[in-house]
Amino acid sequence: MVHAPLRLKQTDLEGLLLTKARWISTKLKARQASALPAMQWVDGASLLWLGEPITLEIIPAARNSRPRLEQGILSLTTTNINDHVSIARRVVQWYHKQAMEDFARRLQLLATKLGEPLPPLALSNARTRWGSCNSRREIRLNWRLIQAKPSIINYVIAHELAHLREMNHSARFWAVVASIYPEYRQAELALKQCSALLYQLG
Ligand SMILES: [Zn+2]
């Protein structure tokens, strides 16, 4: 699995606090410094789509519509521009749908490259990881990844596919990753750097 490094579980925190008080204090400071303000669901807000910024356009209308992406503008109509909950829900649903289509296509390509039958795919809403692969060969990918650059999405998929062969992070595992995605190191680093940003949508 690929962990989101900026999120620590409560149990992890407690264990670390006992032994590594100084370490954790430094980490928490760094985390606060990198914390980003929560998304504002207003007209003109900036969103991310496959690593590119897109602009949210909220149009007052007699009916609510589903978001539509055209030339970098994600527009939707709403009966109440102050109903941020409804706007947020529709935009997130839109991201889910796009994520499923995009990830399924990439999974197919990379599974073929690895010579493995296509594993079942599901989206996850995990707080602590980007992807996972279980013993039933099911691959789960965090829908938030659709905001990231394609190289990052490909890396996470290659990583989870490699777990079909090696259920660990041994040298043999990384060799499998490299066989289908040679540029994995840069992508892994880029994912760490943009983690907080990808969680900004909530
Ligand atoms: Zn892993």
Side-chain angles (χ1 to χ4, degrees), residues 116-131:
E116 290 285 340
L118 185 63
L121 168 67
L123 293 183
S124 92
N125 190 33
R127 284 277 150 199
T128 54
R129 64 181 78 148
W130 292 117

Side-chain angles (χ1 to χ4, degrees), residues 1-2 159 163 169 173:
M1 65 184 70
V2 183
H159 182 118
H163 280 314
H169 292 123
F173 165 82

